[in-house]
Amino acid sequence: MEFLNRASVTLRLTLLFTSVSAAVLLLLGLQISALFEKHFEELDKSLLLGKLELINHELEKIHTNNELNALPALLERFLVGHNDLQVQVLTDEGQTLYITKHADLPHELLNVDNSRVQLIRWTGSNSKSYRGLAALATTAIPGSKPVRVALATDLSHHQQFIHSFNVTLWTIMAFAALLNGFLGWLTVRYGLAPLREISRATAGITANHLDSRLEMESFPAELAEVVKALNEMLARLEESFHRLSDFSSDLAHELRTPVSNLMTQTQVTLSKARTQSDYQKVLASNAEEFEQLSRMIADMLFLAKSDNALMVPHSGKVDLMVEILSLLEFYDALTEEKELAITCKGDGTVVGDRLMLRRAISNLLSNAIRYTPQHGHIDVSVKVYNETTVALYVANTGKTIAAEHLPRLFDRFYRTDTSRQRSGEGTGLGLAITQSIVKAHGGAVDVRSANGTSTFEIRLPTQ
Protein backbone atom coordinates (compact mmCIF):
# COMPACT_ATOMS: atom_id res chain seq x y z
CA MET A 1 0.00 0.00 0.00
CA GLU A 2 2.86 2.38 0.82
CA PHE A 3 4.40 1.57 -2.55
CA LEU A 4 1.15 2.44 -4.35
CA ASN A 5 0.84 5.66 -2.39
CA ARG A 6 4.33 6.67 -3.51
CA ALA A 7 3.96 5.36 -7.07
CA SER A 8 3.30 7.69 -9.97
CA VAL A 9 -0.21 8.29 -11.24
CA THR A 10 0.78 6.67 -14.54
CA LEU A 11 1.87 3.46 -12.80
CA ARG A 12 -1.19 3.34 -10.57
CA LEU A 13 -3.61 3.90 -13.47
CA THR A 14 -1.73 1.35 -15.61
CA LEU A 15 -1.90 -1.27 -12.83
CA LEU A 16 -5.59 -0.53 -12.33
CA PHE A 17 -6.32 -0.77 -16.05
CA THR A 18 -4.32 -4.01 -16.36
CA SER A 19 -5.99 -5.54 -13.30
CA VAL A 20 -9.48 -4.71 -14.55
CA SER A 21 -8.67 -6.03 -18.03
CA ALA A 22 -7.17 -9.22 -16.59
CA ALA A 23 -10.21 -9.75 -14.35
CA VAL A 24 -12.60 -9.29 -17.28
CA LEU A 25 -10.55 -11.65 -19.47
CA LEU A 26 -10.37 -14.20 -16.64
CA LEU A 27 -14.14 -14.18 -16.20
CA LEU A 28 -14.57 -14.43 -19.97
CA GLY A 29 -12.17 -17.38 -20.16
CA LEU A 30 -13.89 -19.21 -17.33
CA GLN A 31 -17.25 -18.62 -18.97
CA ILE A 32 -16.02 -19.91 -22.33
CA SER A 33 -14.50 -23.01 -20.68
CA ALA A 34 -17.75 -23.67 -18.83
CA LEU A 35 -19.74 -23.30 -22.06
CA PHE A 36 -17.46 -25.74 -23.87
CA GLU A 37 -17.76 -28.23 -21.03
CA LYS A 38 -21.54 -27.86 -21.11
CA HIS A 39 -21.55 -28.25 -24.89
CA PHE A 40 -19.57 -31.51 -24.79
CA GLU A 41 -21.82 -32.82 -22.02
CA GLU A 42 -24.86 -32.18 -24.23
CA LEU A 43 -23.14 -33.91 -27.15
CA ASP A 44 -22.35 -36.94 -24.99
CA LYS A 45 -25.88 -37.03 -23.67
CA SER A 46 -27.28 -36.85 -27.20
CA LEU A 47 -24.99 -39.66 -28.32
CA LEU A 48 -25.82 -41.93 -25.40
CA LEU A 49 -29.56 -41.29 -25.63
CA GLY A 50 -29.45 -42.03 -29.36
CA LYS A 51 -27.73 -45.37 -28.79
CA LEU A 52 -30.06 -46.15 -25.91
CA GLU A 53 -33.06 -45.53 -28.14
CA LEU A 54 -31.55 -47.78 -30.80
CA ILE A 55 -30.96 -50.60 -28.31
CA ASN A 56 -34.48 -50.19 -26.90
CA HIS A 57 -35.86 -50.42 -30.41
CA GLU A 58 -34.03 -53.69 -31.08
CA LEU A 59 -35.02 -55.15 -27.72
CA GLU A 60 -38.68 -54.43 -28.46
CA LYS A 61 -38.42 -56.64 -31.58
CA ILE A 62 -37.21 -59.67 -29.57
CA HIS A 63 -40.03 -62.22 -29.09
CA THR A 64 -38.18 -65.40 -28.12
CA ASN A 65 -35.25 -66.42 -25.98
CA ASN A 66 -33.35 -67.50 -29.10
CA GLU A 67 -33.65 -63.99 -30.46
CA LEU A 68 -32.47 -62.69 -27.07
CA ASN A 69 -29.39 -64.96 -27.27
CA ALA A 70 -28.61 -63.44 -30.66
CA LEU A 71 -28.59 -59.94 -29.16
CA PRO A 72 -24.77 -59.70 -28.68
CA ALA A 73 -24.09 -60.31 -32.37
CA LEU A 74 -26.72 -57.75 -33.29
CA LEU A 75 -25.29 -55.11 -30.98
CA GLU A 76 -21.77 -55.76 -32.25
CA ARG A 77 -22.93 -54.81 -35.72
CA PHE A 78 -24.63 -51.64 -34.46
CA LEU A 79 -21.57 -50.49 -32.49
CA VAL A 80 -19.02 -50.88 -35.26
CA GLY A 81 -16.87 -47.71 -35.39
CA HIS A 82 -17.86 -46.55 -31.88
CA ASN A 83 -14.64 -47.56 -30.14
CA ASP A 84 -15.11 -44.97 -27.37
CA LEU A 85 -18.52 -46.34 -26.50
CA GLN A 86 -19.07 -48.95 -23.75
CA VAL A 87 -22.34 -50.87 -23.47
CA GLN A 88 -23.57 -53.43 -20.98
CA VAL A 89 -26.99 -55.15 -20.96
CA LEU A 90 -28.04 -57.02 -17.83
CA THR A 91 -31.07 -59.05 -16.85
CA ASP A 92 -33.15 -58.21 -13.83
CA GLU A 93 -31.16 -60.80 -11.83
CA GLY A 94 -27.87 -59.09 -12.78
CA GLN A 95 -26.78 -61.59 -15.47
CA THR A 96 -24.87 -59.89 -18.29
CA LEU A 97 -26.48 -60.40 -21.68
CA TYR A 98 -23.98 -58.25 -23.51
CA ILE A 99 -20.88 -56.18 -22.67
CA THR A 100 -18.40 -54.43 -24.96
CA LYS A 101 -14.75 -55.33 -24.85
CA HIS A 102 -12.74 -53.67 -22.04
CA ALA A 103 -15.93 -52.17 -20.55
CA ASP A 104 -15.47 -51.04 -16.94
CA LEU A 105 -18.80 -49.62 -15.80
CA PRO A 106 -19.05 -48.69 -12.10
CA HIS A 107 -21.66 -50.07 -9.70
CA GLU A 108 -23.17 -46.58 -9.14
CA LEU A 109 -24.09 -46.53 -12.82
CA LEU A 110 -25.48 -50.05 -12.93
CA ASN A 111 -27.52 -49.46 -9.77
CA VAL A 112 -28.70 -45.96 -10.61
CA ASP A 113 -32.34 -45.07 -10.12
CA ASN A 114 -34.03 -45.66 -13.46
CA SER A 115 -37.02 -43.44 -12.81
CA ARG A 116 -35.21 -40.75 -14.75
CA VAL A 117 -32.26 -40.69 -17.11
CA GLN A 118 -29.26 -38.87 -15.66
CA LEU A 119 -25.63 -38.55 -16.67
CA ILE A 120 -22.91 -39.77 -14.32
CA ARG A 121 -19.22 -38.95 -14.64
CA TRP A 122 -16.39 -40.99 -13.14
CA THR A 123 -12.75 -41.95 -13.52
CA GLY A 124 -12.05 -45.55 -14.44
CA SER A 125 -9.31 -47.86 -13.25
CA ASN A 126 -7.26 -46.82 -16.30
CA SER A 127 -7.33 -43.18 -15.05
CA LYS A 128 -9.56 -42.19 -17.94
CA SER A 129 -12.72 -40.14 -17.46
CA TYR A 130 -16.11 -41.44 -18.60
CA ARG A 131 -19.62 -40.15 -18.79
CA GLY A 132 -22.55 -42.57 -18.88
CA LEU A 133 -26.20 -43.31 -18.20
CA ALA A 134 -28.42 -46.32 -17.55
CA ALA A 135 -32.09 -47.17 -18.15
CA LEU A 136 -34.54 -50.09 -18.20
CA ALA A 137 -35.71 -51.57 -21.49
CA THR A 138 -38.39 -54.18 -22.25
CA THR A 139 -38.52 -57.06 -24.73
CA ALA A 140 -41.53 -58.61 -26.50
CA ILE A 141 -40.95 -62.00 -24.79
CA PRO A 142 -44.11 -62.85 -22.91
CA GLY A 143 -43.70 -62.71 -19.13
CA SER A 144 -40.09 -61.43 -19.26
CA LYS A 145 -38.85 -58.75 -16.91
CA PRO A 146 -37.20 -55.51 -18.10
CA VAL A 147 -33.47 -55.57 -18.75
CA ARG A 148 -31.01 -52.84 -17.70
CA VAL A 149 -29.03 -51.06 -20.39
CA ALA A 150 -25.93 -49.05 -19.36
CA LEU A 151 -23.89 -46.96 -21.80
CA ALA A 152 -20.71 -44.88 -21.31
CA THR A 153 -18.43 -42.86 -23.55
CA ASP A 154 -14.73 -42.11 -23.16
CA LEU A 155 -13.98 -38.41 -22.53
CA SER A 156 -10.30 -38.55 -23.45
CA HIS A 157 -10.88 -36.95 -26.85
CA HIS A 158 -12.95 -34.16 -25.32
CA GLN A 159 -10.38 -33.58 -22.56
CA GLN A 160 -7.53 -33.36 -25.04
CA PHE A 161 -9.43 -30.81 -27.07
CA ILE A 162 -10.42 -28.78 -23.98
CA HIS A 163 -6.84 -28.89 -22.67
CA SER A 164 -5.48 -27.68 -26.01
CA PHE A 165 -8.20 -25.05 -26.20
CA ASN A 166 -7.53 -23.84 -22.64
CA VAL A 167 -3.78 -23.55 -23.27
CA THR A 168 -4.44 -21.53 -26.40
CA LEU A 169 -7.18 -19.47 -24.74
CA TRP A 170 -5.17 -18.59 -21.62
CA THR A 171 -2.07 -17.82 -23.67
CA ILE A 172 -4.05 -15.43 -25.84
CA MET A 173 -5.72 -13.89 -22.80
CA ALA A 174 -2.41 -13.45 -20.98
CA PHE A 175 -1.00 -11.75 -24.07
CA ALA A 176 -4.19 -9.66 -24.33
CA ALA A 177 -3.87 -8.63 -20.67
CA LEU A 178 -0.26 -7.54 -21.22
CA LEU A 179 -1.23 -5.77 -24.43
CA ASN A 180 -4.09 -4.02 -22.62
CA GLY A 181 -1.67 -3.00 -19.89
CA PHE A 182 0.74 -1.56 -22.45
CA LEU A 183 -2.06 0.21 -24.30
CA GLY A 184 -3.37 1.46 -20.96
CA TRP A 185 0.08 2.83 -20.15
CA LEU A 186 0.20 4.60 -23.52
CA THR A 187 -3.31 5.95 -22.97
CA VAL A 188 -2.47 7.22 -19.49
CA ARG A 189 0.78 8.75 -20.72
CA TYR A 190 -1.09 10.51 -23.49
CA GLY A 191 -3.93 11.51 -21.16
CA LEU A 192 -1.51 12.97 -18.59
CA ALA A 193 0.48 14.87 -21.21
CA PRO A 194 -1.43 18.11 -20.43
CA LEU A 195 -0.36 17.80 -16.78
CA ARG A 196 3.25 17.47 -17.87
CA GLU A 197 2.74 20.52 -20.07
CA ILE A 198 1.38 22.42 -17.06
CA SER A 199 4.42 21.32 -15.03
CA ARG A 200 6.78 22.38 -17.82
CA ALA A 201 5.05 25.74 -18.26
CA THR A 202 4.96 26.54 -14.54
CA ALA A 203 8.57 25.44 -14.02
CA GLY A 204 9.74 28.53 -15.90
CA ILE A 205 7.66 30.93 -13.83
CA THR A 206 9.77 32.87 -11.35
CA ALA A 207 9.35 36.00 -9.30
CA ASN A 208 10.62 37.96 -12.31
CA HIS A 209 8.18 36.32 -14.75
CA LEU A 210 4.90 36.24 -12.89
CA ASP A 211 3.14 37.74 -15.90
CA SER A 212 3.24 34.35 -17.66
CA ARG A 213 -0.13 32.63 -18.09
CA LEU A 214 -1.25 29.22 -19.31
CA GLU A 215 -3.33 29.12 -22.49
CA MET A 216 -6.64 27.50 -21.50
CA GLU A 217 -7.44 26.63 -25.13
CA SER A 218 -4.41 24.30 -25.19
CA PHE A 219 -5.78 22.00 -22.47
CA PRO A 220 -8.75 19.61 -22.37
CA ALA A 221 -12.00 20.58 -20.69
CA GLU A 222 -11.24 18.37 -17.65
CA LEU A 223 -8.21 20.54 -16.83
CA ALA A 224 -9.79 23.87 -17.68
CA GLU A 225 -10.69 24.55 -14.03
CA VAL A 226 -7.15 23.64 -12.91
CA VAL A 227 -5.59 25.93 -15.51
CA LYS A 228 -8.02 28.71 -14.60
CA ALA A 229 -7.16 28.31 -10.90
CA LEU A 230 -3.43 28.40 -11.68
CA ASN A 231 -3.81 31.53 -13.80
CA GLU A 232 -5.83 33.21 -11.06
CA MET A 233 -3.21 32.19 -8.50
CA LEU A 234 -0.45 33.63 -10.70
CA ALA A 235 -2.45 36.85 -11.05
CA ARG A 236 -2.79 37.09 -7.26
CA LEU A 237 0.91 36.35 -6.80
CA GLU A 238 1.86 38.94 -9.39
CA GLU A 239 -0.29 41.54 -7.69
CA SER A 240 1.09 40.58 -4.27
CA PHE A 241 4.69 40.78 -5.50
CA HIS A 242 4.05 44.17 -7.05
CA ARG A 243 2.47 45.37 -3.82
CA LEU A 244 5.38 43.94 -1.83
CA SER A 245 7.88 45.60 -4.15
CA ASP A 246 6.05 48.92 -3.91
CA PHE A 247 5.77 48.52 -0.16
CA SER A 248 9.51 47.84 0.17
CA SER A 249 10.31 50.92 -1.90
CA ASP A 250 7.86 53.05 0.06
CA LEU A 251 9.17 51.71 3.37
CA ALA A 252 12.75 52.47 2.39
CA HIS A 253 11.73 55.99 1.35
CA GLU A 254 9.74 56.63 4.52
CA LEU A 255 12.56 55.42 6.77
CA ARG A 256 15.24 57.18 4.79
CA THR A 257 13.85 60.67 5.41
CA PRO A 258 13.86 60.68 9.24
CA VAL A 259 17.16 58.75 9.39
CA SER A 260 18.72 61.19 6.93
CA ASN A 261 17.42 64.12 9.00
CA LEU A 262 18.88 62.62 12.17
CA MET A 263 22.26 61.96 10.59
CA THR A 264 22.45 65.41 8.98
CA GLN A 265 21.49 67.31 12.12
CA THR A 266 23.83 65.23 14.27
CA GLN A 267 26.79 65.63 11.88
CA VAL A 268 26.23 69.38 11.54
CA THR A 269 25.99 69.74 15.32
CA LEU A 270 29.18 67.77 15.86
CA SER A 271 31.09 69.72 13.20
CA LYS A 272 31.91 72.44 15.75
CA ALA A 273 31.29 73.42 19.33
CA ARG A 274 27.72 74.48 20.12
CA THR A 275 26.02 76.22 22.95
CA GLN A 276 23.79 74.38 25.37
CA SER A 277 20.76 75.97 23.73
CA ASP A 278 21.84 74.71 20.29
CA TYR A 279 22.26 71.15 21.62
CA GLN A 280 18.84 71.29 23.20
CA LYS A 281 17.25 72.36 19.90
CA VAL A 282 18.97 69.54 18.04
CA LEU A 283 17.92 66.98 20.63
CA ALA A 284 14.34 68.25 20.52
CA SER A 285 14.34 67.98 16.71
CA ASN A 286 15.84 64.49 16.93
CA ALA A 287 13.18 63.49 19.46
CA GLU A 288 10.47 64.46 16.95
CA GLU A 289 12.09 62.30 14.29
CA PHE A 290 12.41 59.38 16.73
CA GLU A 291 8.77 59.80 17.66
CA GLN A 292 7.86 59.65 13.96
CA LEU A 293 9.92 56.46 13.56
CA SER A 294 8.37 54.97 16.68
CA ARG A 295 4.85 55.59 15.39
CA MET A 296 5.75 54.11 12.03
CA ILE A 297 7.25 50.96 13.62
CA ALA A 298 4.25 50.57 15.94
CA ASP A 299 1.89 50.90 12.98
CA MET A 300 3.86 48.33 10.99
CA LEU A 301 3.78 45.88 13.90
CA PHE A 302 0.03 46.41 14.15
CA LEU A 303 -0.40 45.64 10.44
CA ALA A 304 1.90 42.60 10.71
CA LYS A 305 -0.32 41.21 13.48
CA SER A 306 -3.33 41.84 11.29
CA ASP A 307 -1.76 40.05 8.30
CA ASN A 308 -1.01 36.99 10.45
CA ALA A 309 -4.46 36.85 12.10
CA LEU A 310 -2.96 37.74 15.48
CA MET A 311 -5.22 40.73 15.99
CA VAL A 312 -8.21 39.51 18.02
CA PRO A 313 -10.79 42.23 18.77
CA HIS A 314 -12.60 42.20 22.11
CA SER A 315 -16.35 42.02 21.62
CA GLY A 316 -18.56 44.65 23.16
CA LYS A 317 -21.24 47.21 22.35
CA VAL A 318 -19.80 50.36 20.76
CA ASP A 319 -21.86 53.51 20.19
CA LEU A 320 -20.30 54.98 17.04
CA MET A 321 -21.70 58.49 17.48
CA VAL A 322 -20.33 58.73 21.05
CA GLU A 323 -16.85 57.84 19.77
CA ILE A 324 -17.14 60.29 16.86
CA LEU A 325 -18.12 63.21 19.08
CA SER A 326 -15.31 62.39 21.51
CA LEU A 327 -12.73 62.35 18.71
CA LEU A 328 -14.01 65.57 17.15
CA GLU A 329 -13.57 67.21 20.52
CA PHE A 330 -9.97 65.98 20.48
CA TYR A 331 -9.43 67.43 16.98
CA ASP A 332 -11.23 70.67 17.87
CA ALA A 333 -8.07 72.76 17.75
CA LEU A 334 -7.18 71.60 14.25
CA THR A 335 -10.67 72.20 12.88
CA GLU A 336 -10.79 75.67 14.38
CA GLU A 337 -7.38 76.47 12.92
CA LYS A 338 -8.59 75.59 9.41
CA GLU A 339 -12.07 77.02 10.12
CA LEU A 340 -13.77 73.82 9.03
CA ALA A 341 -17.53 73.27 9.21
CA ILE A 342 -18.37 69.85 10.66
CA THR A 343 -21.81 68.22 10.83
CA CYS A 344 -22.70 64.99 12.61
CA LYS A 345 -25.93 63.06 12.34
CA GLY A 346 -27.33 59.61 12.84
CA ASP A 347 -26.85 56.95 15.45
CA GLY A 348 -25.78 53.31 15.54
CA THR A 349 -24.33 50.64 17.80
CA VAL A 350 -22.04 47.85 16.64
CA VAL A 351 -20.22 44.94 18.27
CA GLY A 352 -16.44 45.12 18.43
CA ASP A 353 -13.32 46.33 20.18
CA ARG A 354 -13.95 49.94 21.25
CA LEU A 355 -10.28 51.00 21.19
CA MET A 356 -9.64 49.48 17.76
CA LEU A 357 -12.78 51.00 16.27
CA ARG A 358 -11.92 54.34 17.86
CA ARG A 359 -8.52 54.17 16.17
CA ALA A 360 -10.09 53.39 12.80
CA ILE A 361 -12.54 56.29 13.08
CA SER A 362 -9.74 58.56 14.27
CA ASN A 363 -7.69 57.75 11.20
CA LEU A 364 -10.59 58.66 8.92
CA LEU A 365 -11.29 61.91 10.75
CA SER A 366 -7.63 62.98 10.83
CA ASN A 367 -7.34 62.11 7.14
CA ALA A 368 -10.43 64.22 6.35
CA ILE A 369 -9.14 67.17 8.42
CA ARG A 370 -5.72 66.97 6.79
CA TYR A 371 -7.00 67.04 3.20
CA THR A 372 -9.95 69.40 3.61
CA PRO A 373 -8.96 72.90 2.44
CA GLN A 374 -9.40 76.07 4.52
CA HIS A 375 -13.07 76.87 5.22
CA GLY A 376 -14.02 73.40 3.91
CA HIS A 377 -16.77 71.13 5.13
CA ILE A 378 -16.73 67.65 6.76
CA ASP A 379 -19.91 65.61 7.07
CA VAL A 380 -19.98 62.59 9.43
CA SER A 381 -23.05 60.34 9.48
CA VAL A 382 -24.08 56.96 10.88
CA LYS A 383 -26.88 55.02 9.17
CA VAL A 384 -28.45 51.57 9.27
CA TYR A 385 -27.08 49.79 6.19
CA ASN A 386 -29.24 46.66 6.56
CA GLU A 387 -30.68 44.46 9.31
CA THR A 388 -27.26 43.33 10.55
CA THR A 389 -24.98 46.17 9.47
CA VAL A 390 -24.40 49.80 10.39
CA ALA A 391 -22.52 52.17 8.06
CA LEU A 392 -20.38 55.15 9.02
CA TYR A 393 -19.67 57.84 6.40
CA VAL A 394 -16.95 60.50 6.54
CA ALA A 395 -17.22 62.96 3.64
CA ASN A 396 -15.01 65.99 3.12
CA THR A 397 -14.72 68.65 0.47
CA GLY A 398 -11.50 69.11 -1.43
CA LYS A 399 -9.74 67.97 -4.55
CA THR A 400 -11.45 65.06 -6.33
CA ILE A 401 -9.37 61.89 -6.14
CA ALA A 402 -8.73 60.39 -9.56
CA ALA A 403 -10.47 57.04 -10.20
CA GLU A 404 -7.18 55.17 -10.73
CA HIS A 405 -6.06 56.05 -7.19
CA LEU A 406 -9.22 54.96 -5.36
CA PRO A 407 -8.53 51.15 -5.32
CA ARG A 408 -5.08 51.75 -3.78
CA LEU A 409 -5.84 54.37 -1.16
CA PHE A 410 -5.81 51.68 1.54
CA ASP A 411 -2.39 50.34 0.48
CA ARG A 412 0.47 50.99 2.83
CA PHE A 413 2.44 54.19 2.16
CA TYR A 414 0.39 54.85 -0.96
CA ARG A 415 -0.07 58.51 -1.80
CA THR A 416 -1.80 60.12 -4.73
CA ASP A 417 1.05 62.65 -4.83
CA THR A 418 3.64 61.11 -7.17
CA SER A 419 6.37 63.28 -5.68
CA ARG A 420 6.10 61.11 -2.51
CA GLN A 421 6.62 64.08 -0.26
CA ARG A 422 5.78 63.59 3.39
CA SER A 423 2.96 65.79 4.59
CA GLY A 424 2.22 66.66 8.17
CA GLU A 425 2.95 64.02 10.76
CA GLY A 426 1.28 61.08 9.07
CA THR A 427 3.09 57.81 8.50
CA GLY A 428 1.14 56.82 5.38
CA LEU A 429 -0.34 53.81 7.20
CA GLY A 430 -3.54 55.29 8.66
CA LEU A 431 -5.96 54.07 5.98
CA ALA A 432 -4.25 50.66 5.80
CA ILE A 433 -4.72 50.29 9.57
CA THR A 434 -8.35 51.34 9.27
CA GLN A 435 -8.96 48.67 6.66
CA SER A 436 -7.25 46.00 8.79
CA ILE A 437 -9.35 46.88 11.84
CA VAL A 438 -12.59 46.87 9.88
CA LYS A 439 -11.81 43.50 8.25
CA ALA A 440 -10.84 42.06 11.64
CA HIS A 441 -14.36 42.94 12.80
CA GLY A 442 -15.96 41.26 9.78
CA GLY A 443 -16.79 44.55 8.09
CA ALA A 444 -15.86 46.33 4.88
CA VAL A 445 -14.44 49.69 3.91
CA ASP A 446 -14.91 51.67 0.70
CA VAL A 447 -14.16 55.08 -0.79
CA ARG A 448 -15.58 57.20 -3.58
CA SER A 449 -14.76 60.65 -4.86
CA ALA A 450 -16.66 62.92 -7.25
CA ASN A 451 -17.49 66.59 -7.74
CA GLY A 452 -14.98 67.79 -5.15
CA THR A 453 -16.23 65.50 -2.36
CA SER A 454 -14.50 62.36 -1.09
CA THR A 455 -16.49 59.91 1.03
CA PHE A 456 -15.06 57.07 3.11
CA GLU A 457 -17.50 54.37 4.17
CA ILE A 458 -17.17 51.77 6.96
CA ARG A 459 -19.69 48.93 7.32
CA LEU A 460 -19.68 47.05 10.62
CA PRO A 461 -21.84 44.20 11.95
CA THR A 462 -24.31 44.93 14.71
CA GLN A 463 -24.00 41.49 16.32
Side-chain angles (χ1 to χ4, degrees):
M1 182 62 67
E2 182 180 356
F3 166 74
L4 289 178
N5 290 335
R6 296 169 56 187
S8 66
V9 175
T10 301
L11 177 59
R12 280 187 281 181
L13 290 178
T14 301
L15 290 177
L16 178 61
F17 187 79
T18 304
S19 301
V20 172
S21 300
V24 172
L25 291 173
L26 175 62
L27 293 176
L28 180 62
L30 293 175
Q31 184 66 22
I32 292 175
S33 297
L35 289 175
F36 265 100
E37 184 67 29
K38 185 67 175 177
H39 174 70
F40 283 124
E41 182 180 344
E42 294 295 329
L43 288 179
D44 293 339
K45 184 177 181 180
S46 177
L47 171 66
L48 294 174
L49 288 176
K51 295 302 179 183
L52 177 62
E53 184 178 356
L54 176 64
I55 294 173
N56 284 339
H57 179 69
E58 293 302 322
L59 287 173
E60 289 174 352
K61 294 191 297 183
I62 295 176
H63 295 82
T64 65
N65 288 329
N66 290 334
E67 291 178 352
L68 183 62
N69 292 333
L71 179 64
L74 180 64
L75 294 179
E76 286 292 340
R77 290 197 302 271
F78 288 153
L79 297 176
V80 171
H82 295 282
N83 299 325
D84 295 336
L85 193 63
Q86 296 183 9
V87 180
Q88 187 173 358
V89 182
L90 301 92
T91 64
D92 184 59
E93 292 80 10
Q95 180 183 358
T96 299
L97 297 176
Y98 172 78
I99 187 171
T100 55
K101 188 178 181 179
H102 305 304
D104 185 17
L105 302 178
H107 291 291
E108 58 265 25
L109 178 65
L110 298 176
N111 297 323
V112 71
D113 180 16
N114 299 116
S115 60
R116 58 189 178 89
V117 176
Q118 57 179 335
L119 290 179
I120 297 177
R121 181 171 176 169
W122 72 91
T123 302
S125 58
N126 55 1
S127 300
K128 291 185 178 181
S129 295
Y130 297 89
R131 183 179 285 121
L133 55 81
L136 294 179
T138 58
T139 65
I141 300 174
S144 65
K145 295 182 178 181
V147 297
R148 184 183 299 274
V149 180
L151 302 95
T153 181
D154 188 355
L155 304 180
S156 298
H157 178 71
H158 296 343
Q159 289 178 329
Q160 290 176 1
F161 174 82
I162 291 177
H163 175 73
S164 176
F165 174 79
N166 284 338
V167 170
T168 303
L169 176 66
W170 295 118
T171 300
I172 293 175
M173 287 192 171
F175 176 76
L178 293 176
L179 180 61
N180 284 337
F182 176 70
L183 293 177
W185 178 80
L186 289 180
T187 302
V188 172
R189 287 281 298 177
Y190 177 78
L192 294 180
L195 289 178
R196 291 193 296 275
E197 177 62 21
I198 291 176
S199 176
R200 185 198 62 79
T202 55
I205 298 176
T206 63
N208 297 325
H209 297 87
L210 288 175
D211 56 339
S212 300
R213 296 293 183 271
L214 301 176
E215 295 293 337
M216 294 186 61
E217 295 77 11
S218 304
F219 297 94
E222 292 80 1
L223 295 178
E225 290 297 323
V226 176
V227 175
K228 180 181 178 182
L230 284 174
N231 285 336
E232 291 175 351
M233 179 191 70
L234 290 173
R236 291 193 300 269
L237 286 175
E238 182 181 17
E239 181 182 2
S240 297
F241 268 84
H242 286 165
R243 288 178 179 272
L244 181 60
S245 177
D246 293 342
F247 173 71
S248 299
S249 300
D250 291 334
L251 178 61
H253 176 81
E254 295 295 331
L255 291 176
R256 180 180 62 185
T257 302
V259 171
S260 176
N261 291 341
L262 289 169
M263 290 179 59
T264 301
Q265 290 183 110
T266 303
Q267 289 172 351
V268 170
T269 302
L270 293 176
S271 63
K272 63 179 181 178
R274 305 286 179 178
T275 64
Q276 182 178 356
S277 176
D278 292 335
Y279 285 124
Q280 288 177 341
K281 291 180 181 179
V282 171
L283 291 176
S285 177
N286 288 350
E288 291 181 0
E289 297 294 343
F290 281 125
E291 185 179 353
Q292 177 76 6
L293 285 173
S294 178
R295 284 200 304 270
M296 186 182 301
I297 293 171
D299 289 343
M300 300 225 11
L301 289 175
F302 184 89
L303 291 172
K305 289 175 64 177
S306 173
D307 290 343
N308 292 278
L310 299 177
M311 186 172 61
V312 182
H314 298 286
S315 295
K317 295 290 185 179
V318 180
D319 190 325
L320 295 181
M321 188 53 65
V322 170
E323 301 301 327
I324 292 170
L325 294 176
S326 175
L327 288 169
L328 287 177
E329 184 178 349
F330 175 77
Y331 289 118
D332 187 59
L334 292 176
T335 58
E336 287 185 358
E337 180 182 347
K338 298 182 72 173
E339 299 181 5
L340 302 179
I342 300 179
T343 59
C344 295
K345 59 183 178 180
D347 189 22
T349 301
V350 298
V351 175
D353 189 307
R354 190 184 69 83
L355 293 179
M356 285 189 182
L357 294 177
R358 183 182 177 89
R359 183 174 186 180
I361 298 171
S362 175
N363 288 340
L364 290 185
L365 291 176
S366 64
N367 184 76
I369 293 171
R370 181 179 301 114
Y371 291 104
T372 302
Q374 197 79 12
H375 306 293
H377 181 267
I378 298 176
D379 179 44
V380 183
S381 60
V382 178
K383 300 178 182 178
V384 175
Y385 189 81
N386 56 38
E387 295 180 356
T388 60
T389 307
V390 168
L392 183 152
Y393 302 91
V394 178
N396 66 280
T397 56
K399 184 179 179 181
T400 301
I401 303 173
E404 64 269 19
H405 296 303
L406 293 178
R408 299 200 59 191
L409 283 184
F410 296 96
D411 291 353
R412 300 167 191 183
F413 298 123
Y414 184 79
R415 291 192 176 92
T416 58
D417 184 3
T418 56
S419 65
R420 294 177 178 259
Q421 296 297 319
R422 298 171 68 202
S423 60
E425 298 180 352
T427 61
L429 298 173
L431 294 180
I433 290 175
T434 296
Q435 184 183 55
S436 297
I437 292 174
V438 172
K439 286 186 175 181
H441 284 77
V445 63
D446 196 12
V447 61
R448 53 185 176 273
S449 183
N451 302 322
T453 300
S454 299
T455 303
F456 288 82
E457 176 186 355
I458 292 178
R459 297 187 296 275
L460 294 168
T462 58
Q463 56 185 9

